[in-house]
Amino acid sequence: MELSEVLILSVVACLTVLFALMKRFQYWKVRGVPQSKPHLIFGNMREVNKTLHIAEGLQQLYSELKGKHPVGGIYIFTKPVALITDLELLRCVFVKDFEYFHDRGTYYNEKDDPLSAHLFNIEGLKWKTLRNKISPTFTSGKMKMMFPTIVAAGKQFRDFMQEAVSDGAEVELTDVLSRYTTDVIGTCAFGIECNSVRNPDAEFRVMGRKIFQRSRGLVRLVLTNVLPNLARKLGITVIEQDVAEFFLNAVRETIKYREENNVQRNDFMDILIRLRSKEDTQSNDETFTFNEIAAQAFVFFLAGFETSSSLMAFTLYELAANPEVQERGRRCVEEVLQRHNGELTYEGVLEMHYLERILKETLRKYPPISVHFRQTSKRYHVPRTDTVLDAGTSVMIPVLGIQRDPEYFPDPDRFDPDRFTAEEEAKRHPYAWTPFGEGPRICVGQRFGLMQARIGLAYLLTSFRFAPGKKYQRPMKFNIKIPVLTPEGGLWLKLEKLQKA
């Protein structure tokens, strides 16, 4: 074949691909849905993971498309995605029409990557069955039983901070907060004393860091987001092999020790062990295989340590900048402790109402899970429009965009816990604040996550006063490489030790 023929064929091939992409990027336009102008190959994600966190990228798209239609059309690479811009439609997605939106559509590979097949990812009847079994773990009764374990970890955390921090020192807090939540989750999920607060190189902490440090290569991102079935056939995984082996071994050893020694701890692992199948390769509606147990323990660890530590970090960040709010929060904790003889009790923590409002306001400004995902299970007619979403359409809820929308939260950059008094909440649309999701697929562990954050903050607020230091950044920059919203460069605050009365 002559060089000229090769060039002609190459040009034809390039033009064919180009026209195919141009047609693909008309997907929403031909359906009468307003869309944001996509970029070649990357769609609307060109700046994500380069200069913007995905939450910020979707926040910009939400602001651009809101008010034009209940959904906006965007593209994740070449994949069309419906971006929810209307809170009444959000109510339908989460609750009213849940039968159409019960799956997230997030990638998992049960065969090659069994830990990825956990409660957050799995779909259909299997999800519903598992959810019904897991939910009892997080009732108020179960939380009360796990409370002393969390308090013990909180005391160790406080003691370490009092020993390690010099008065007036500027300290990086994100790592030590993650070590505290790692100890809590490791104990409650695996029954293992991780001791990562005092030993930052403890295995659980090392593996926890590694989960979020894995490079998400472009090819893998495209395949898992655009062609998930092909990705599964190719055996693409999302969890590093050594991380998977560590957690599988940790679960295996925990089960073995508890069964051989008849140990019961009234924790998350106990519930899973009781549901274990006698045959580790098969399960039914009543039992779990070993891999299923390991996957649920893994997601409890994954979802619990990073999101809660992030919540605590952003809370301290805002309290340092708002000393009057910090003092009011401290008084709230101290008054409750006085009523309970100086002890941190389960009932007492639930009485810390202003601290709860502080946490809610932090979750509004900095939702750790800043995007919710859904996928249509069948054709869905968008209420009050002529638009139909085909089965298999990906749906995204821009949590950060909605929760920083001045229509719902005036002066959204201001940190104001009093937005969450009962009176103010009653004035607001109930779906304007959804950091945990809502409806049947609401975060099952939200009560646990908030409890460990409350306990950790109660100990910190009664031991230290927090102020901005030389390395304090405002406005906050997010780490664009980590899907959970976390501070870029860590959180540096100046700590003043409080004198005991």
Side-chain angles (χ1 to χ4, degrees), residues 36 44-45 57-65 74 83:
S36 182
N44 299 110
M45 295 291 106
L58 292 179
Q59 181 183 11
Q60 290 182 0
L61 292 167
Y62 167 80
S63 297
E64 175 189 341
L65 295 166
I74 66 170
L83 189 75

Side-chain angles (χ1 to χ4, degrees), residues 335-384:
E335 288 168 3
V336 169
L337 288 174
Q338 287 176 5
R339 293 200 297 270
H340 291 266
N341 300 315
E343 291 295 320
L344 203 58
T345 65
Y346 180 77
E347 292 75 16
V349 169
L350 296 181
E351 293 171 15
M352 297 177 183
H353 302 302
Y354 190 69
L355 182 58
E356 180 183 4
R357 299 211 295 269
I358 288 173
L359 287 169
K360 283 186 172 182
E361 175 68 344
T362 303
L363 286 166
R364 179 194 69 81
K365 283 195 72 176
Y366 311 98
I369 305 301
S370 53
V371 183
H372 297 312
F373 302 88
R374 291 294 187 271
Q375 186 178 65
T376 52
S377 60
K378 48 191 173 182
R379 281 170 57 85
Y380 179 73
H381 182 266
V382 178
R384 307 184 308 280

Side-chain angles (χ1 to χ4, degrees), residues 326-334 461 464-465 498:
Q326 182 181 160
E327 289 303 320
R328 190 174 169 190
R330 184 174 291 111
R331 287 197 305 273
C332 164
V333 174
E334 290 172 344
L461 285 172
F464 300 96
R465 182 172 286 110
L498 297 176

Side-chain angles (χ1 to χ4, degrees), residues 13 56 115 126 187 191 340 343 433:
E56 296 172 299
L115 293 186
K126 192 168 187 178
T187 304
H340 291 266
E343 291 295 320
W433 185 84

